[in-house]
Amino acid sequence: MAIDQVHDLQQVYRKILHSMSRPGTISSLADNAKKVDFDLSCFHATFLSAMTFLDAEVTFHILSSTQQSLIDKISAYTSSKYAPINEADFIIVLQEDTEESIQHAFLECKNGTLIDPQHSSIWIMESSTLSNSGELTLTGPGIHHEARLHTSLSPLLWQARNERTKEYPLGIDLIFTDENAQVVCIPRTTTVEITEVS
């Protein structure tokens, strides 16, 4: 069964938008992911997210240097063009990417300007697992009191993200996906604190 590029992607869009407006809330794309009927070198939820947000008006970058076939597939399905990290509107981080490469990308990516804060990058990042119990405490707009979250992103990388969002309205927005076709969003307005896990 193939993806319905209208019906399915509208569903994916609504679910991701729900998670973006309620940071830390995990949404499931499992029903839609079952319809992805070809082999991919990324999570199905990652590809669905890319199909939902990318089009001919925006550009994207994949950190891994070994993913030409995935670049070609995303370009073919979305008409989006591949661009260097410092120009890309969307940045896709796969599970295979190293901490060093991700940290470098945080420094190089578009972060907006005070005049045009919307000219920043949105990240689609793979995490081995996502859960609402973990080392992160989230506060800010859309969160009642606080939320808890676990991702596979290291404390060092969360610190790098926090550096990029400390001068609001500048900042980057993160969409996390996992192998169970779950998504969770951390917009630039969310404060992320790392707590020690005993």
Side-chain angles (χ1 to χ4, degrees):
M1 186 185 301
I3 300 167
D4 182 322
Q5 293 206 37
V6 176
H7 178 72
D8 282 307
L9 296 186
Q10 283 180 345
Q11 282 190 343
V12 171
Y13 177 77
R14 286 195 295 269
K15 289 175 181 179
I16 295 177
L17 199 63
H18 175 80
S19 286
M20 188 65 80
S21 63
R22 295 165 180 80
T25 298
I26 295 173
S27 297
S28 175
L29 307 182
D31 288 343
N32 310 98
K34 290 174 186 172
K35 299 179 184 179
V36 179
D37 56 357
F38 42 80
D39 290 332
L40 292 168
S41 55
C42 65
F43 296 154
H44 286 180
T46 303
F47 190 72
L48 287 171
S49 299
M51 287 183 67
T52 300
F53 290 105
L54 271 57
D55 58 29
E57 302 299 315
V58 298
T59 56
F60 73 100
H61 183 86
I62 294 179
L63 288 197
S64 175
S65 60
T66 63
Q67 292 294 338
Q68 189 59 49
S69 62
L70 182 59
I71 291 169
D72 293 343
K73 192 163 284 187
I74 289 174
S75 292
Y77 273 87
T78 67
S79 300
S80 182
K81 298 287 191 295
Y82 189 77
I85 185 84
N86 61 326
E87 298 175 12
D89 301 304
F90 286 82
I91 295 168
I92 298 173
V93 178
L94 304 181
Q95 198 174 15
E96 69 187 45
D97 290 318
T98 65
E99 184 171 298
E100 183 180 4
S101 68
I102 298 170
Q103 189 167 24
H104 179 72
F106 272 138
L107 295 173
E108 294 292 313
C109 72
K110 294 199 303 184
N111 204 44
T113 66
L114 291 174
I115 295 173
D116 291 304
Q118 73 278 10
H119 292 167
S120 60
S121 52
I122 297 173
W123 289 50
I124 302 171
M125 305 187 72
E126 293 190 341
S127 173
S128 54
T129 57
L130 297 169
S131 71
N132 284 129
S133 59
E135 69 285 359
L136 304 176
T137 301
L138 314 179
T139 54
I143 302 172
H144 187 62
H145 296 309
E146 65 180 36
R148 299 301 297 270
L149 183 68
H150 167 75
T151 73
S152 57
L153 212 62
S154 72
L156 188 65
L157 292 177
W158 278 114
Q159 290 166 11
R161 174 268 179 192
N162 289 346
E163 278 294 310
R164 296 296 277 171
T165 59
K166 68 181 182 181
E167 293 184 54
Y168 184 82
L170 307 186
I172 54 178
D173 302 309
L174 308 180
I175 300 168
F176 284 95
T177 64
D178 74 4
E179 57 192 351
N180 297 314
Q182 297 186 124
V183 294
V184 69
C185 300
I186 309 292
R188 72 190 69 184
T189 53
T190 301
T191 299
V192 178
E193 296 182 7
I194 304 150
T195 55
E196 293 294 329
V197 179
S198 55

